[in-house]
């Protein structure tokens, strides 16, 4: 296991050794600008996130709800490019020494070139990639290059996934498994409930990889609820909404740090 993916695995293991779930934050690159986006990622770590997912803004999202779509639109109108995503990963990782992944749909990687993308991500210190729309059956080329460069391949499982399908997905993945707690797009929810707990139980039956839950968590109480049964709690829309609601760039970065602190206390069992 190379340094990049090992850092991710060690970080998740360290949280488990502390008898808590890891806190995983999601922030889009280039939002509201590339520079501010980088500061926001650092602030998430500073506030208590263990891992950060950097989103590659996409014009035609299938998983992202309205909050993240709004941020992606701002980033794309600002001219964000894959080079800016790599810079975000590089600078955030260099400043913190912590694991940074990229979350992206498959099309931008396919157009950019798989070898080029994986080589640049590894060189930037990235720990791996979350690929929500890449079917495991079509992931051979990606996995070959990701393994060559020591990158984790994180697949997404959903409540609709049958047990045999879960086993197939988890066997092909590395780093952790992203369990989408609900059917539908990203966004904060009133409850993140029983469906997620059942999905974690069924996924764990197929793999030793950590199972981290995303889609819906927005506050410390929900973080604590999910942390009671998952290895990691993934929060995205709540961070982006705080940034959108902030009065300026400095306030947006401070809001990320503050929410990360609140959620970090939540995953440690206190709200």
């Amino acid at each position: 296991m190379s340094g990049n993916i090992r850092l991710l695995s060690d970080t998740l293991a360290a949280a488990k050794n502390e008898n808590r779930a890891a806190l995983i934050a999601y922030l889009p690159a280039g939002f509201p600008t590339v520079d501010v986006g980088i500061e926001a990622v650092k602030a998430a770590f500073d506030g208590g996130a263990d891992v950060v997912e950097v989103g590659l803004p996409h014009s035609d999202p299938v998983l992202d709800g309205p909050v993240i779509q709004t941020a992606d639109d701002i980033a794309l109108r600002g001219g964000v490019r894959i080079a800016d995503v790599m810079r975000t990963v590089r600078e955030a990782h260099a400043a913190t020494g912590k694991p940074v992944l990229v979350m992206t749909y498959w099309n931008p990687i396919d157009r950019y070139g798989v070898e080029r993308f994986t080589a640049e991500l590894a060189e930037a210190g990235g720990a791996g990639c979350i690929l929500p729309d890449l079917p495991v059956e079509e992931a051979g080329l990606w996995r070959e290059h990701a393994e060559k460069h020591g990158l984790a391949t994180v697949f997404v499982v959903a409540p609709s996934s049958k047990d045999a399908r879960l086993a197939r997905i988890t066997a092909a993945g590395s780093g952790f498994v992203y369990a989408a707690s609900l059917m539908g797009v990203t966004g904060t929810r009133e409850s993140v409930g029983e469906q997620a707990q059942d999905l974690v139980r069924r996924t764990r039956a197929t793999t030793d990889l950590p199972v981290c839950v995303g889609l819906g968590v927005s506050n410390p109480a929900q973080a604590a609820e999910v942390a009671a049964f998952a290895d990691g709690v993934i929060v995205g829309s709540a961070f982006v909404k705080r940034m959108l609601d902030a009065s300026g760039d400095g306030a947006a970065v401070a809001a990320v740090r503050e929410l990360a602190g609140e959620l970090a206390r939540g995953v440690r069992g206190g709200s």
Side-chain angles (χ1 to χ4, degrees):
M1 196 187 290
S2 86
N4 299 8
I5 187 174
R6 179 179 284 117
L7 176 63
L8 174 64
S9 298
D10 288 351
T11 299
L12 295 171
K16 185 174 184 178
N17 288 339
E18 293 174 15
N19 294 312
R20 66 173 179 88
L23 174 61
I24 302 175
Y26 167 94
L27 291 159
F31 167 70
T33 65
V34 176
D35 288 344
V36 177
I38 291 167
E39 293 308 310
V41 175
K42 294 179 192 173
F45 281 127
D46 192 36
D50 299 288
V51 179
V52 173
E53 304 170 3
V54 172
L56 196 161
H58 195 271
S59 58
D60 189 26
V62 292
L63 186 72
D64 299 312
V67 171
I68 290 173
Q69 283 188 38
T70 298
D72 279 3
D73 187 52
I74 290 167
L76 289 166
R77 281 191 279 118
V80 72
R81 294 287 180 268
I82 287 178
D84 300 310
V85 178
M86 298 298 178
R87 183 186 149 211
T88 301
V89 172
R90 179 183 294 104
E91 294 192 14
H93 173 66
T96 64
K98 294 186 176 175
V100 183
L101 298 114
V102 168
M103 187 167 190
T104 178
Y105 297 104
W106 176 244
N107 187 50
I109 296 177
D110 191 40
R111 291 185 63 176
Y112 195 72
V114 180
E115 169 58 21
R116 181 183 175 197
F117 188 94
T118 51
E120 289 183 9
L121 182 56
E123 185 274 327
C129 229
I130 301 159
L131 301 155
D133 67 338
L134 180 63
V136 68
E137 293 82 2
E138 297 172 26
L141 180 66
W142 164 265
R143 287 175 58 204
E144 175 191 335
H145 288 286
E147 286 167 17
K148 182 169 92 172
H149 292 291
L151 299 170
T153 297
V154 179
F155 288 113
V156 178
V157 298
S160 59
S161 304
K162 301 284 189 280
D163 290 353
R165 179 77 184 155
L166 289 175
R168 190 165 186 182
I169 293 170
T170 58
S174 56
F176 64 92
V177 182
Y178 188 126
S181 64
L182 303 140
M183 302 304 290
V185 298
T186 60
T188 61
R189 302 292 200 284
E190 291 300 312
S191 170
V192 284
E194 290 176 17
Q195 241 186 350
Q197 195 163 353
D198 180 63
L199 177 59
V200 170
R201 179 188 59 76
R202 292 194 299 119
T203 305
R204 278 197 180 136
T206 71
T207 183
D208 291 329
L209 289 172
V211 182
C212 304
V213 171
L215 272 63
V217 175
S218 62
N219 60 52
Q222 289 177 335
E225 179 190 347
V226 174
F229 61 80
D231 298 301
V233 180
I234 302 168
V235 182
S237 295
F239 279 110
V240 176
K241 186 172 189 310
R242 291 247 184 143
M243 292 183 74
L244 286 166
D245 291 346
S247 57
D249 293 347
V253 172
V256 168
R257 185 180 293 107
E258 180 182 35
L259 179 58
E262 294 168 9
L263 295 167
R265 288 190 290 278
V267 300
R268 286 166 172 80
S271 57

